[in-house]
Amino acid sequence: EAGVAQSPRYKIIEKRQSVAFWCNPISGHATLYWYQQILGQGPKLLIQFQNNGVVDDSQLPKDRFSAERLKGVDSTLKIQPAKLEDSAVYLCASSPWRRSNTGELFFGEGSRLTVL
Amino acid sequence: GQQVMQIPQYQHVQEGEDFTTYCNSSTTLSNIQWYKQRPGGHPVFLIQLVKSGEVKKQKRLTFQFGEAKKNSSLHITATQTTDVGTYFCAGPNLSGSARQLTFGSGTQLTVLP
C-alpha cells in the first residue's frame, strides 16, 4: 500500500516569497491534516480536512497561509509571503475517518522549508 | 486549550541501559498514542492506549496509561542504537466535530554505543 506522498522534500526561499506544498494521502483516507514541525518541537496542527471540507483551521495563520483539498483527495498548502519564522518541516498526515476517536495518523516524509 | 507535556526533553543513555519518558495531559484523555521519529524522518505510529491503567508491551517497549487517564509512560528495556530518535505522545483534542491529535514536545533519545 502506498504511503502519504509529499513534495517537494526541500525548499529554500527568501522571505516575502511564496511557496506551495503538495500532499497525496493514502487512498481512501477521508481525513487529511497539515502539521508544522519546528526544529526541536512536536508537530503543531495547522488545518484538518474531512473529505474536501475544512473541519478546523483555527491554528492556521490565515493572513499568509492557505490550504485546499479539491475533490477530497490531494491537498496543497501555500505560504505567501513567507517569514523567517516559517522555517520548519510541513508534515501531511491522513487517517481513515472514525466516529469514536482519532485513530492512528499516517505521516508523509515532510517538506522542509528554509526561509532566508 | 489542551496541553500535553513530556519529560525529559533529552536523554542520553549507554547502550543496554533502560530509558523512560513521561507524558502528562492537562485534561483527561479518551486515549493516548505514541509515535517515534527517527532523525530526519517522520513520526511513525507505535501504539494506542485506551483503557485506564492499561499496559501494553512491544518487545522491549512497555507503554502505560495512568489510572486517571491523564498521564502515560514509555519504558524501553536494554536500549539499542536502533532506538535512537524522538518519542512523542499525542492525545486527542475533541473540539466540536474535529478530532485531532495534540502532540507533546517529545523526548529525544540518544544511545551511546
Side-chain angles (χ1 to χ4, degrees):
Chain A
E1 179 183 85
V4 176
Q6 288 190 247
S7 68
R9 288 294 311 279
Y10 305 94
K11 190 74 175 178
I12 300 174
I13 61 173
E14 295 188 348
K15 59 183 180 183
R16 291 187 288 272
Q17 287 187 323
S18 63
V19 63
F21 303 114
W22 172 83
C23 172
N24 183 269
I26 293 174
S27 177
H29 281 193
T31 309
L32 185 148
Y33 309 82
W34 282 100
Y35 280 88
Q36 179 193 57
Q37 187 175 27
I38 292 172
L39 187 64
Q41 299 182 17
K44 173 191 163 189
L45 180 71
L46 292 175
I47 189 168
Q48 177 186 354
F49 292 94
Q50 181 71 24
N51 296 311
N52 62 347
V54 175
V55 176
D56 186 351
D57 63 358
S58 59
Q59 299 188 76
L60 189 72
K62 298 180 188 64
D63 58 334
R64 298 183 300 105
F65 286 65
S66 64
E68 61 182 10
R69 191 184 183 195
L70 300 176
K71 301 180 181 179
V73 181
D74 294 8
S75 177
T76 56
L77 175 71
K78 295 180 182 177
I79 307 174
Q80 181 180 8
K83 292 186 175 182
L84 297 177
E85 59 260 37
D86 298 331
S87 294
V89 176
Y90 291 86
L91 293 163
C92 178
S94 70
S95 70
W97 184 83
R98 295 185 179 89
R99 190 165 63 91
S100 59
N101 62 54
T102 47
E104 172 185 356
L105 294 190
F106 297 82
F107 283 89
E109 297 283 348
S111 294
R112 182 178 297 274
L113 174 65
T114 302
V115 182
L116 303 176
Chain B
Q2 180 194 77
Q3 291 187 351
V4 178
M5 294 150 287
Q6 275 185 263
I7 55 170
Q9 187 175 2
Y10 302 98
Q11 185 80 57
H12 295 232
V13 299
Q14 281 300 134
E15 188 172 17
E17 291 182 339
D18 292 356
F19 159 77
T20 304
T21 174
Y22 301 91
C23 178
N24 291 285
S25 170
S26 58
T27 59
T28 301
L29 301 170
S30 60
N31 67 82
I32 194 159
Q33 298 181 22
W34 285 91
Y35 289 77
K36 176 183 178 181
Q37 186 172 25
R38 295 182 186 276
H42 58 282
V44 175
F45 175 81
L46 292 177
I47 207 161
Q48 177 174 276
L49 305 172
V50 179
K51 299 177 183 176
S52 169
E54 187 171 14
V55 178
K56 285 189 175 180
K57 292 190 175 184
Q58 290 180 349
K59 297 182 180 179
R60 296 178 294 103
L61 277 61
T62 302
F63 303 84
Q64 288 190 305
F65 201 8
E67 294 289 343
K69 302 183 77 173
K70 294 183 73 174
N71 58 74
S72 181
S73 66
L74 158 59
H75 179 83
I76 303 178
T77 303
T79 55
Q80 299 175 0
T81 54
T82 53
D83 296 324
V84 164
T86 301
Y87 293 84
F88 294 98
C89 63
N93 180 11
L94 304 182
S95 174
S97 61
R99 285 163 175 78
Q100 310 153 356
L101 284 181
T102 297
F103 282 79
S105 52
T107 296
Q108 184 176 320
L109 173 64
T110 301
V111 180
L112 305 171

